[in-house]
Amino acid sequence: QGYYTRGGGIGESGDFITSPEISQVFGELIGIWYVSEWIAMGRPKAFQLVELGPGRGTLTDDILRVFNQLSSLLSKCDVSVHLVEVSPKLSETQALMLTGGKVQSNPEDKSAYMKGVSKTGIPIFWYRDIQDVPPGYSFYLAQEFFDALPIHKFQRTEKGWREVLVDIDPEVPDQLRFVLSPSSTPATENFIQPEETRDHVEVCPEAGVIIQRLACRIEKDGGAALVADYGHDGTKTDTFRGFRNHKLHDVLTAPGTADLTADVDFSYLRKMTQGRTATLGPIKQREFLKNMGIDLRLQVLLQNSSDTATQEQLLHSYDMLMNPKKMGDCFNFFALLPHHRLVRPDTKHKPESKSPLPPVAGFGELLLK
């Protein structure tokens, strides 16, 4: 009976809207980020693009368009797409968006439950779990994915940490309420960091497990992961909320009918990599997109569009993505990269070969050549 299993209301007519649904530029710049990392890592012969919770498939579609436009660059590279999606309804929508609906269910291969070919000729596979995705050099993408995973909530009291639990309200029929656990729970014992200074903490153990898996895979097979989500660096407390028809909705009312979300704690994600990979960020969405050249891309699109309506739409969507009061400041970008991408191996035997490491696009000033 889950919200996403039954469809998940993404888009103008749904419960919430995401950056790729607002502007094609968002996905294009992410596509460019992956290509620039592929070049910086020495142009490996193959890579998998793995997206976690791909929504309607809009973001992957925009990225594939970039890969297609840069096909001369990627011509010798074997690219495949791997989507991790639990919702049968959303995987149908993705298949329609990415392949025009030309997919086949895949009973003989137990790991992928569906496969198809993108309109640009790239093979696409669907999985229910990140662990089913085959190993190999991979670029991972999690855009508004971690915020949808369940959290544990904790409150500091005079008696120590207590877990916030959901209970049936004895006064009001069919009404839920929050209560504090009478004593400590297994979660309070295991999920609170000893150095924690906040009085109220939200922990998403599932996010920790997934980040560990990504970090292990990147350490072993190479690649990179890009996480885009609203969140904080271990500073916020109570962020759990619901959205329905683009309005805030009481999380305890009509469960399963609203999008439930909590800000991603990037400091927790960083800890959970356990040093297996280097991490960059979080940096604000507007800074990342600016560094990736969004202003330049906007100018090109404005010059290429003749009608005022399209130009207004472009400016409106740019404002939505970049305005600090809209999405510009509350959304963040965070990356996992192999350590060797940021630290040059010891070159004392060949000091003359100390060429500078290429900067990581998006996370620093982009030097336009």
Side-chain angles (χ1 to χ4, degrees):
Q1 292 303 305
Y3 176 75
Y4 285 105
T5 316
R6 299 196 317 196
I10 307 172
E12 296 280 3
S13 59
D15 297 311
F16 60 95
I17 192 156
T18 64
S19 298
E21 304 289 333
I22 289 168
S23 170
Q24 64 175 64
V25 180
F26 183 84
E28 289 172 350
L29 295 176
I30 287 177
I32 289 166
W33 190 85
Y34 287 121
V35 174
S36 80
E37 276 309 296
W38 173 75
I39 293 169
M41 305 229 201
R43 306 183 185 219
K45 297 214 168 22
F47 70 78
Q48 306 185 139
L49 175 68
V50 183
E51 188 177 2
L52 310 180
R56 296 201 296 199
T58 312
L59 188 48
T60 297
D61 197 44
D62 290 339
I63 292 170
L64 288 181
R65 192 170 61 254
V66 169
F67 289 176
N68 194 46
Q69 283 163 347
L70 299 175
S71 55
S72 57
L73 198 62
L74 291 165
S75 60
K76 292 190 174 68
C77 184
D78 186 9
V79 181
S80 56
V81 171
H82 304 260
L83 304 177
V84 180
E85 180 56 75
V86 293
S87 163
K89 233 174 182 163
L90 283 171
S91 59
E92 276 174 37
T93 309
Q94 294 150 14
L96 206 60
M97 163 84 73
L98 298 167
T99 71
K102 295 187 198 65
V103 287
Q104 55 197 93
S105 59
N106 203 17
E108 76 281 359
D109 173 9
K110 290 291 176 280
S111 57
Y113 63 82
M114 193 164 79
K115 62 181 179 182
V117 178
S118 81
K119 296 168 206 161
T120 54
I122 288 176
I124 306 183
F125 303 87
W126 278 262
Y127 311 84
R128 291 200 171 80
D129 193 303
I130 179 91
Q131 286 172 291
D132 296 332
V133 177
Y137 190 93
S138 300
F139 289 128
Y140 300 94
L141 177 57
Q143 195 266 334
E144 286 197 54
F145 170 75
F146 285 111
D147 70 81
L149 299 178
I151 53 162
H152 287 266
K153 282 174 87 63
F154 305 101
Q155 183 72 46
R156 198 194 291 270
T157 70
E158 284 153 17
K159 300 191 181 94
W161 285 100
R162 293 292 179 261
E163 188 168 4
V164 179
L165 302 172
V166 178
D167 182 30
I168 292 166
D169 193 326
E171 315 279 307
V172 192
D174 296 329
Q175 178 70 47
L176 300 170
R177 61 171 185 169
F178 286 122
V179 292
L180 288 180
S181 60
S183 57
S184 81
T185 61
T188 52
E189 300 296 322
N190 290 298
F191 297 143
I192 305 270
Q193 308 284 340
E195 66 275 17
E196 186 55 70
T197 56
R198 288 169 287 179
D199 287 338
H200 189 108
V201 180
E202 295 165 333
V203 180
C204 178
E206 206 178 324
V209 169
I210 291 168
I211 276 288
Q212 276 180 3
R213 289 193 179 133
L214 294 181
C216 288
R217 281 168 163 256
I218 291 167
E219 183 184 42
K220 191 163 165 282
D221 302 319
L226 195 60
V227 177
D229 223 316
Y230 39 84
H232 57 90
D233 209 8
T235 52
K236 288 192 182 175
T237 54
D238 178 14
T239 71
F240 182 43
R241 58 208 184 278
F243 284 98
R244 194 169 171 184
N245 300 326
H246 301 271
K247 290 189 178 69
L248 279 170
H249 174 87
D250 176 12
V251 292
L252 296 181
T253 305
T257 64
D259 169 43
L260 300 185
T261 182
D263 281 19
V264 177
D265 184 342
F266 289 105
S267 69
Y268 175 71
L269 298 189
R270 193 183 298 112
K271 281 193 189 94
M272 296 315 279
T273 62
Q274 296 168 323
R276 289 192 176 94
T277 60
T279 58
L280 288 176
I283 72 163
K284 292 182 169 61
Q285 174 168 297
R286 66 185 163 91
E287 289 176 31
F288 178 86
L289 296 177
K290 203 171 209 41
N291 292 341
M292 286 303 298
I294 190 170
D295 295 336
L296 213 60
R297 182 72 183 125
L298 177 71
Q299 292 312 318
V300 171
L301 289 171
L302 286 171
Q303 281 160 14
N304 292 349
S305 63
S306 46
D307 65 305
T308 348
T310 310
Q311 291 180 339
E312 275 174 17
Q313 175 55 42
L314 283 166
L315 289 165
H316 170 73
S317 55
Y318 174 89
D319 182 59
M320 277 290 284
L321 293 176
M322 299 293 282
N323 189 326
K325 293 190 173 68
K326 294 176 184 172
M327 289 175 150
D329 272 7
C330 56
F331 281 81
N332 293 273
F333 276 77
F334 180 77
L336 270 57
L337 296 160
H339 285 293
H340 64 78
R341 171 68 181 89
L342 300 176
V343 183
R344 183 161 295 290
D346 184 20
T347 51
K348 61 171 179 262
H349 303 300
K350 285 192 199 160
E352 71 281 0
S353 68
K354 246 187 170 175
S355 56
L357 282 162
V360 177
F363 289 90
E365 283 301 312
L366 196 67
L367 300 168
L368 289 170
K369 289 197 173 66

